[in-house]
Amino acid sequence: MSTPRPRRHDPDRRDRIIDACLDVIAEHGVAGTSHRRVAAAADVPLGSMTYHFDGMDALLREAFTRFADQVATLAERRMAAAGSLEEALDAFAANIEEDVFGTQRDLVITHELYTLAARRPEYRDITTAWMARTRATLEPFVDSTTAVLLDAMNEGLSIHRALHQHSPRPGLAREAIARLVRPAL
Amino acid sequence: MSTPRPRRHDPDRRDRIIDACLDVIAEHGVAGTSHRRVAAAADVPLGSMTYHFDGMDALLREAFTRFADQVATLAERRMAAAGSLEEALDAFAANIEEDVFGTQRDLVITHELYTLAARRPEYRDITTAWMARTRATLEPFVDSTTAVLLDAMNEGLSIHRALHQHSPRPGLAREAIARLVRPAL
Amino acid sequence: MSTPRPRRHDPDRRDRIIDACLDVIAEHGVAGTSHRRVAAAADVPLGSMTYHFDGMDALLREAFTRFADQVATLAERRMAAAGSLEEALDAFAANIEEDVFGTQRDLVITHELYTLAARRPEYRDITTAWMARTRATLEPFVDSTTAVLLDAMNEGLSIHRALHQHSPRPGLAREAIARLVRPAL
Amino acid sequence: MSTPRPRRHDPDRRDRIIDACLDVIAEHGVAGTSHRRVAAAADVPLGSMTYHFDGMDALLREAFTRFADQVATLAERRMAAAGSLEEALDAFAANIEEDVFGTQRDLVITHELYTLAARRPEYRDITTAWMARTRATLEPFVDSTTAVLLDAMNEGLSIHRALHQHSPRPGLAREAIARLVRPAL
DNA sequence: AATGAATGAGACTTCATTCAT
DNA sequence: AATGAATGAAGTCTCATTCAT
């Protein structure tokens, strides 16, 4: 009979599907993310998909929510270690250059989320919350306008990184931050 | 019976398809851009699509190329009118706040392009050329590092605009620009 | 209105499709064998086709494999009954004249297979295996060169039968066989 | 303006199309032979196709007719040089082994024709005439039954050649012919 | 006489979802 | 609770043919 898929009792299958969904998004874009592909990536029967999730949209929401949370958490940890303005700005620069968009995968997923949110307001709670957390990590150290500008620069530089062949010159992020944070005269 | 489509001889049909494609992208995203939808939007028979374009990809390329060119041209015109550093920076701020992402439509299309380019290198020539033109408008006035940072801020602020419910406070772009342009001491 | 197809649970649907495929090949040729036609012939929804088979090619392979197997099995049975050289050669002649290409349908399908295999090597395992089985039925009775020649004559006469208006004169196959089998001097 | 295809006045364009059609048949089979592909292969505008030929069928008929004529003519020339039975049989063997199916291209086209004729009687005049010419080359030397059998063996051996990986052992055709031609006792 | 443009039919395939088991 | 089978809609693309020029 050739072992007919013995699975059964597979907790964290739901989790696995969400992770697989992010992989598929990174590879094929939201456009190319189908139940079939995610099921294959998660090694889960197709019928499982609509059993666990109400539809593609529900799955996308969960996937992007998890992604944003993971990235934001990492950023928070980095920033939490900073004891001074100087250290905070260094940490923020490191975030830009290393963590957040360190991998092409994360960068692609981020853009897929932005694009989805740009067109469909119902996804904006995810991006809004994410950006709020990012700014919150800065607010112990700088005023609110500066925090907004630093976050904008964060986005801007990572777009450049995504869309250029050659990497930006090292230190660019730190330089941008230095200019944006006006020294008290 | 609804006139059985007598058309024939329809010059600039190709052009019309490209414009319709941008409309469809704005409304449904690249994900939702199908031959059918574009054909309907351009009021053209379905068979026309693959007659004029080698496939969806070729059409997307042409559409995004046209879009980027239009937006860049507009920016160039604005900047060309500037006679001093001050005027140039004002114009650049106006670009950010009014033109480029003045409409939700343009903003959505821009993000769709960025997302596509992030995942698929073969679209990056479009974004690279666009950014180069944007930077070139600045370079009569500021050094090259500053130009890069201003362009990054341009992107960053427009992302924020795209992804937030409430508009940013007026003057934010101008403030950001002022901080990034180092005054000659 | 016409009952909206309540089907569901239709085991051996896969089998039915394969049989229908052979019918379609016989009527329209491989050239004219489309998912649509086979689906209609098997009374199965179009979507069923690519659900059960990876594509037209996979379906053709299965269909031709089944066909070759059926024909070869029939030939083997006939030959197995032979107890002497004489009986074996009579049986082989009967094969040529009656069974194998007895019907126009089988003959057409055979040629479609040959043609496909001539152009595309990946189908040659089917024809090679079929011919090997045919020769194997002869080898208890004649040497290997003679077996090859008898098989070739088998093919040659059936081509003639396929491509001529008038049937060949009866007994021609038996005569050919007699000449090819060298009497031990 | 980039030379807008200066053609005009292109005699033997019709001829060129027919030859191109045979090339396309060899590569893609009758199934894959479309106006478009033939037009491309002949470097002729698409509109030219239905201008010169009444449809695919008319073109196929002309192409196969030309092909059969060429092959038959070659065989006739070879046989015409024979002065004795021995020489004639040698020439016939050479035909089988070298000319007729010397190239995979010719072999494939031949099978495409046979298959078409097997299913559609209106093509059988081509095959019937071809075979008649082949037999006619033999009839100065052997009786009519023998001529039929030799021709059948011709077909049979070439099928084997088409459908096997390894070439048949050299001399097989000559051996087959020797057996079929009964020595006058 | 010749052809580029046009188009509706139909090819294969992928899909989200439903449902009997 | 879980899933393999099923299916109609819609996707992209190719095609033979028509027709205005």
Side-chain angles (χ1 to χ4, degrees):
Chain A
M1 284 301 173
S2 83
T3 44
R5 224 195 251 259
R7 206 152 323 255
R8 298 286 156 158
H9 202 57
D10 175 7
D12 54 62
R13 161 177 295 192
R14 218 172 163 285
D15 263 7
R16 204 145 30 89
I17 292 175
I18 294 175
D19 285 336
C21 181
L22 287 171
D23 288 340
V24 173
I25 291 169
E27 190 174 0
H28 300 281
V30 167
T33 298
S34 68
H35 280 166
R36 281 180 149 68
R37 278 213 252 250
V38 176
D43 188 26
V44 145
L46 178 57
S48 223
M49 298 299 299
T50 42
Y51 179 76
H52 286 292
F53 299 90
D54 275 347
M56 200 66 246
D57 249 51
L59 175 54
L60 285 177
R61 275 197 68 84
E62 289 213 46
F64 280 124
T65 301
R66 169 175 300 184
F67 173 76
D69 180 60
Q70 286 170 344
V71 177
T73 300
L74 189 62
E76 283 167 355
R77 263 193 223 128
R78 264 200 187 250
M79 296 293 288
S84 68
L85 173 61
E86 202 65 17
E87 283 176 19
L89 299 182
D90 287 345
F92 197 72
N95 260 344
I96 295 176
E97 291 187 338
E98 291 160 39
D99 293 332
V100 187
F101 303 105
T103 68
Q104 186 70 10
R105 177 182 184 276
D106 287 2
L107 200 145
V108 165
I109 297 175
T110 300
H111 276 284
E112 293 283 347
L113 170 57
Y114 286 176
T115 297
L116 204 55
R119 209 159 27 78
R120 301 178 49 185
E122 67 269 31
Y123 280 87
R124 285 194 203 141
D125 56 347
I126 302 177
T127 53
T128 300
W130 183 6
M131 289 180 183
R133 284 174 67 180
T134 303
R135 275 199 314 277
T137 65
L138 287 164
E139 285 179 343
F141 305 98
V142 300
D143 67 277
S144 125
T145 294
T146 302
V148 167
L149 293 183
L150 287 174
D151 189 33
M153 184 54 82
N154 178 2
E155 310 291 354
L157 287 176
S158 49
I159 284 188
H160 278 201
R161 180 177 298 232
L163 304 184
H164 277 295
Q165 270 82 351
H166 46 86
S167 301
R169 86 173 155 69
L172 187 67
R174 193 60 188 81
E175 166 72 16
I177 290 169
R179 294 194 190 187
L180 288 170
V181 179
R182 270 286 149 85
L185 296 181
Chain B
M1 284 306 168
S2 82
T3 43
R5 222 192 256 268
R7 204 152 321 248
R8 295 285 163 160
H9 197 54
D10 173 10
D12 53 63
R13 162 178 294 194
R14 213 170 168 285
D15 263 6
R16 204 146 28 88
I17 293 176
I18 294 175
D19 286 335
C21 181
L22 287 172
D23 288 340
V24 173
I25 290 170
E27 189 174 1
H28 300 281
V30 167
T33 298
S34 69
H35 281 168
R36 274 180 153 74
R37 277 212 252 248
V38 176
D43 186 27
V44 145
L46 182 55
S48 230
M49 299 300 298
T50 43
Y51 175 75
H52 285 291
F53 300 90
D54 276 348
M56 199 67 246
D57 249 51
L59 175 54
L60 286 177
R61 274 196 68 85
E62 289 214 45
F64 280 125
T65 301
R66 169 175 299 185
F67 174 76
D69 180 61
Q70 287 170 344
V71 177
T73 299
L74 188 62
E76 282 166 355
R77 267 193 219 128
R78 263 198 189 251
M79 295 295 287
S84 67
L85 172 62
E86 201 64 17
E87 282 175 21
L89 299 182
D90 286 345
F92 198 74
N95 261 344
I96 296 177
E97 290 187 339
E98 293 161 37
D99 294 332
V100 187
F101 303 106
T103 68
Q104 187 68 10
R105 176 182 185 275
D106 286 3
L107 200 146
V108 166
I109 297 176
T110 301
H111 275 286
E112 292 283 348
L113 170 57
Y114 286 175
T115 298
L116 205 55
R119 205 160 29 81
R120 302 179 48 186
E122 66 269 31
Y123 281 88
R124 281 188 209 150
D125 54 348
I126 302 176
T127 53
T128 299
W130 183 6
M131 288 179 182
R133 284 175 67 180
T134 303
R135 276 200 314 276
T137 66
L138 289 164
E139 286 181 342
F141 304 100
V142 301
D143 67 276
S144 122
T145 295
T146 302
V148 167
L149 293 182
L150 287 174
D151 189 35
M153 184 53 82
N154 179 1
E155 312 291 352
L157 287 176
S158 49
I159 285 188
H160 278 200
R161 181 178 298 233
L163 304 184
H164 278 297
Q165 271 83 351
H166 48 85
S167 302
R169 83 172 159 71
L172 187 66
R174 194 60 188 79
E175 167 72 16
I177 290 169
R179 293 195 191 187
L180 288 171
V181 179
R182 272 283 148 86
L185 296 182
Chain C
M1 293 302 164
S2 81
T3 43
R5 221 192 255 268
R7 204 153 318 250
R8 296 285 162 161
H9 197 55
D10 173 9
D12 54 63
R13 161 177 296 195
R14 215 171 167 284
D15 264 6
R16 204 146 30 88
I17 292 175
I18 295 175
D19 286 335
C21 182
L22 287 171
D23 288 341
V24 173
I25 291 170
E27 189 174 0
H28 299 281
V30 166
T33 298
S34 69
H35 279 168
R36 275 179 154 73
R37 278 212 252 249
V38 176
D43 187 26
V44 146
L46 181 55
S48 229
M49 298 300 299
T50 42
Y51 175 76
H52 285 291
F53 300 90
D54 276 348
M56 199 66 244
D57 249 50
L59 175 55
L60 286 176
R61 276 196 67 87
E62 288 214 45
F64 280 124
T65 301
R66 171 176 299 183
F67 173 76
D69 180 61
Q70 286 170 345
V71 177
T73 300
L74 188 62
E76 283 167 355
R77 266 195 221 126
R78 263 200 188 251
M79 296 295 287
S84 68
L85 172 62
E86 202 65 18
E87 282 175 20
L89 299 184
D90 287 345
F92 197 73
N95 261 344
I96 295 177
E97 291 188 338
E98 291 161 40
D99 294 332
V100 186
F101 304 105
T103 68
Q104 186 68 9
R105 178 183 184 276
D106 286 3
L107 199 146
V108 165
I109 296 176
T110 301
H111 276 284
E112 292 283 348
L113 170 57
Y114 286 175
T115 298
L116 205 55
R119 205 159 31 80
R120 301 180 48 186
E122 66 269 30
Y123 281 88
R124 284 193 205 143
D125 55 348
I126 301 176
T127 53
T128 299
W130 183 5
M131 289 181 182
R133 284 175 67 180
T134 302
R135 277 201 312 277
T137 65
L138 288 165
E139 286 181 343
F141 304 99
V142 302
D143 67 277
S144 123
T145 294
T146 300
V148 167
L149 294 182
L150 287 174
D151 188 34
M153 184 54 82
N154 178 3
E155 311 291 353
L157 287 176
S158 50
I159 284 188
H160 278 200
R161 179 177 301 231
L163 303 185
H164 278 295
Q165 271 83 352
H166 48 84
S167 301
R169 83 172 160 71
L172 187 67
R174 193 60 188 82
E175 167 71 15
I177 291 168
R179 294 195 191 186
L180 288 170
V181 178
R182 271 285 148 87
L185 295 182
Chain D
M1 284 303 172
S2 83
T3 45
R5 225 194 250 259
R7 203 147 328 251
R8 301 283 156 162
H9 202 57
D10 175 7
D12 55 64
R13 161 177 298 191
R14 220 172 161 286
D15 264 7
R16 204 144 30 87
I17 293 176
I18 295 175
D19 285 336
C21 181
L22 287 170
D23 288 340
V24 173
I25 291 170
E27 190 174 0
H28 299 282
V30 167
T33 299
S34 69
H35 280 166
R36 281 179 150 68
R37 278 212 252 251
V38 177
D43 187 25
V44 144
L46 178 56
S48 223
M49 298 299 298
T50 42
Y51 178 76
H52 286 292
F53 299 91
D54 275 347
M56 200 66 243
D57 249 50
L59 175 54
L60 285 177
R61 275 198 67 85
E62 289 212 46
F64 279 125
T65 301
R66 170 175 299 184
F67 173 76
D69 180 61
Q70 287 171 343
V71 178
T73 300
L74 188 62
E76 284 166 354
R77 265 193 222 128
R78 263 199 188 251
M79 295 295 288
S84 67
L85 172 62
E86 201 64 19
E87 282 175 20
L89 298 183
D90 286 345
F92 197 74
N95 260 345
I96 296 177
E97 290 187 339
E98 292 161 39
D99 294 333
V100 187
F101 303 105
T103 67
Q104 187 68 11
R105 177 182 183 276
D106 287 2
L107 200 145
V108 165
I109 296 175
T110 301
H111 276 284
E112 293 282 348
L113 170 57
Y114 286 176
T115 297
L116 204 56
R119 207 159 28 79
R120 300 178 51 184
E122 66 270 31
Y123 281 86
R124 281 189 209 147
D125 55 348
I126 302 176
T127 54
T128 300
W130 182 6
M131 288 181 183
R133 284 174 68 179
T134 303
R135 275 200 313 277
T137 66
L138 288 164
E139 286 182 342
F141 305 99
V142 302
D143 66 276
S144 128
T145 294
T146 301
V148 166
L149 293 182
L150 286 174
D151 189 34
M153 184 53 83
N154 178 3
E155 311 292 353
L157 287 176
S158 48
I159 284 190
H160 277 201
R161 181 178 298 231
L163 304 185
H164 276 296
Q165 271 82 351
H166 46 85
S167 302
R169 82 172 159 72
L172 187 66
R174 194 61 189 81
E175 167 71 17
I177 289 168
R179 294 195 191 185
L180 287 171
V181 178
R182 271 286 149 87
L185 294 183

